[in-house]
Amino acid sequence: MKQALVIVSFGTSVPAARKSIDAVTRAMAACMPEADLFLALTSPTIRRKLRARGEQAFSLEEILEALAGYDRVVVQPTHLLYGIEYDRIRETVAAFARRLPGLVLGTPLLAGTEDLQALAGILLEAHPRSGEAMVLMGHGTEHFANLVYPAFQTVLRLRGCSDVYVGTVEGWPGIGDVIDQLKADGVKKALLVPMMLVAGDHACNDMAGLEPDSWKNQLEAQGIAVRCHLEGLGSLEAVQALYCRHLRML
Ligand code: CO
């Protein structure tokens, strides 16, 4: 049986951030050693930037076009949640269903309650702290799936962790909502961690950047001492294993 594994990511133009995507890709490829590996990037801007640097960069359509003759094609997004991007991937996959009868689509990393509980355990173990709150920076979306972020804070509360806060750059709750909670709870020290696959532009600039409105500077303006962790979730082995668990369920 001829098999293909197509890993789909948004992509990143920050070279140092790519190691998180690469690590997740390697782990998933190792779960399907019999499959030929293909990488698709959903962001046209990032594809353009990479091509301008002389690197190869393909959309999911371009890759699926080339996979006629494969008996089984597994499309696995590296996306954290169901959302606008995932909906588009699903539409593309549906459009190829007749041409590629063995085509299946994997779920995002956080596809249900168990995944949120697993990630909560992973993050608590990865970032041992004492007397320091943890503030997670998610991306956020207008999509209904944005509810994963406040739900994740609730998952942590229900485990007894009242010192972990979840905010988003582009969705709800925002950094203002997080600061209100930090002040109400009398937090004096905080560790900032991206709740994103990669520590790319958002983590480097919106979270840890030098601008006065970066999360780091907004927290420091409130008298909170801040430490920044500049690594994406994809760098954590336990997160790579969670992606692989999803892949094996297909
Ligand atoms: Co963004």
Side-chain angles (χ1 to χ4, degrees), residues 10 139 169-170 202:
F10 182 78
H139 190 276
V169 193
E170 294 178 18
H202 285 306

Side-chain angles (χ1 to χ4, degrees), residues 14-243:
V14 179
R18 203 145 5 135
K19 69 177 202 284
S20 293
I21 300 182
D22 292 346
V24 168
T25 301
R26 265 198 310 276
M28 290 203 276
C31 290
M32 284 185 66
E34 66 289 356
D36 293 335
L37 178 66
F38 299 90
L39 305 177
L41 299 177
T42 58
S43 164
T45 312
I46 288 171
R47 287 200 304 270
R48 216 168 23 243
K49 280 188 188 170
L50 293 178
R51 281 178 190 150
R53 286 184 206 157
E55 294 179 53
Q56 285 193 326
F58 300 105
S59 69
L60 179 57
E61 288 86 346
E62 287 168 330
I63 285 175
L64 293 180
E65 289 285 355
L67 294 185
Y70 275 86
D71 305 299
R72 186 165 184 259
V73 175
V74 174
V75 174
Q76 178 59 56
T78 58
H79 294 68
L80 252 51
L81 4 143
Y82 292 110
I84 297 165
E85 285 258 321
Y86 189 91
D87 285 349
R88 280 199 205 116
I89 294 169
R90 183 159 35 205
E91 278 167 29
T92 305
V93 166
F96 280 85
R98 282 170 56 148
R99 265 189 281 172
L100 298 169
L103 185 58
V104 288
L105 173 61
T107 60
L109 181 71
L110 303 174
T113 311
E114 274 180 29
D115 294 328
L116 291 181
Q117 286 168 338
L119 184 64
I122 291 169
L123 285 174
L124 292 173
E125 205 184 302
H127 301 290
R129 295 156 292 121
S130 72
E132 185 182 39
M134 175 155 62
V135 175
L136 297 170
M137 178 198 248
H139 190 276
T141 169
E142 289 166 29
H143 193 279
F144 178 79
N146 184 74
L147 288 174
V148 162
Y149 298 106
F152 190 56
Q153 182 167 317
T154 300
V155 166
L156 288 151
R157 291 293 178 282
L158 292 173
R159 287 176 76 116
C161 299
S162 52
D163 64 347
V164 184
Y165 303 81
V166 182
T168 69
V169 193
E170 294 178 18
W172 175 85
I175 183 60
D177 303 299
V178 171
I179 288 173
D180 288 346
Q181 296 170 75
L182 295 173
K183 287 204 301 205
D185 295 346
V187 169
K188 293 276 169 270
K189 276 161 64 178
L191 170 67
L192 290 181
V193 178
M195 187 178 163
M196 301 184 189
L197 179 70
V198 305
D201 188 49
H202 285 306
C204 297
N205 296 313
D206 299 311
M207 190 182 89
L210 299 171
E211 296 290 321
D213 63 347
S214 73
W215 286 26
K216 178 180 191 284
N217 285 334
Q218 288 193 59
L219 261 53
E220 284 177 348
Q222 298 293 333
I224 299 170
V226 176
R227 198 158 64 91
C228 290
H229 179 81
L230 277 176
E231 211 155 60
L233 295 179
S235 296
L236 295 169
E237 267 175 42
V239 168
Q240 296 158 21
L242 189 54
Y243 276 110

